[in-house]
Amino acid sequence: AQKITQTQPGMFVQEKEAVTLDCTYDTSDPSYGLFWYKQPSSGEMIFLIYQGSYDQQNATEGRYSLNFQKARKSANLVISASQLGDSAMYFCAMRPFNAGNNRKLIWGLGTSLAVNP
Amino acid sequence: DADVTQTPRNRITKTGKRIMLECSQTKGHDRMYWYRQDPGLGLRLIYYSFDVKDINKGEISDGYSVSRQAQAKFSLSLESAIPNQTALYFCATSRGHGYTFGSGTRLTVV
């Protein structure tokens, strides 16, 4: 079964510290993409970072990096130097690239991150 | 202007009413999606469309219908709204690896 698991319903981090949000995935497809999205309290869904299963290097986008461990099927999001504006829900998602998937994203249930001043 | 625009942003409607949620995009993407978000259930796919002539059911299409009026427009209808359709609804587009979401429509059915 295709599945995304985010085991941390809620996380706290002190401002300016780094935090890791966990994501594990399950798929039998050899080729897939992994995504992280941020959803602030205002509700919009903001794309953060993407990792392809065949990418040799871990993805980075500014303060966001993705710790991709293919053998362990994990794709953890690392946020460095946390800011108060990082307080939000964070979702991990996967898109298997098989022909039958048709670009459908499979979503985790999210992790709520609170950044303390 | 936003790349993906959803209207309305918020809507309260009565049980049994027909309601349409609209989505328009300026990304030029062929693929469009409607998702529903409920607390504790994450995002679930309602319908998706790969082009104007292609409409596909997602995992929770019962009680919903869609129309792809043009490449840039994809609307979602609730034919007879019921309270358990109260949720946050997202429209999204994609090309390649990139997905772009609208700001969401918060629908309450009373």
Side-chain angles (χ1 to χ4, degrees), chain A residues 10-64:
Chain A
M11 290 281 288
F12 294 90
V13 65
Q14 207 64 30
E15 191 178 9
K16 300 181 183 178
E17 292 185 350
V19 62
T20 298
L21 306 183
D22 294 341
C23 172
T24 58
Y25 59 91
D26 189 14
T27 181
S28 56
D29 290 297
S31 182
Y32 47 89
L34 296 157
F35 303 77
W36 277 93
Y37 283 86
K38 172 184 178 181
Q39 186 178 37
S41 58
S42 52
E44 68 268 32
M45 198 67 75
I46 302 167
F47 168 76
L48 296 179
I49 197 166
Y50 169 82
Q51 178 85 43
S53 59
Y54 286 111
D55 292 342
Q56 295 298 313
Q57 293 186 324
N58 286 347
T60 61
E61 291 285 350
R63 293 186 301 110
Y64 304 107

Side-chain angles (χ1 to χ4, degrees), chain A residues 38-46 88-89 91, chain B residues 6 9 37 43 88-90 101-106:
Chain A
K38 172 184 178 181
Q39 186 178 37
S41 58
S42 52
E44 68 268 32
M45 198 67 75
I46 302 167
M89 282 289 290
F91 291 93
Chain B
Q6 291 184 233
R9 290 296 309 275
Q37 185 180 28
L43 276 79
L88 180 58
Y89 291 84
F90 284 105
F101 284 78
S103 298
T105 294
R106 196 169 296 277

Side-chain angles (χ1 to χ4, degrees), chain A residues 33 35 37 39 41-47 50 91 95 97 100-109, chain B residues 9 31 33 35 37 40-43 45 48 50 88 90 94-103 106:
Chain A
F35 303 77
Y37 283 86
Q39 186 178 37
S41 58
S42 52
E44 68 268 32
M45 198 67 75
I46 302 167
F47 168 76
Y50 169 82
F91 291 93
R95 181 170 80 79
F97 290 162
N101 175 262
N102 291 324
R103 295 186 181 274
K104 290 183 286 185
L105 285 172
I106 299 161
W107 294 83
L109 296 184
Chain B
R9 290 296 309 275
R31 299 172 185 242
Y33 309 80
Y35 284 93
Q37 185 180 28
L41 294 178
L43 276 79
L45 183 63
Y48 59 103
F50 290 160
L88 180 58
F90 284 105
S94 77
R95 174 181 289 170
H97 301 313
Y99 288 79
T100 303
F101 284 78
S103 298
R106 196 169 296 277

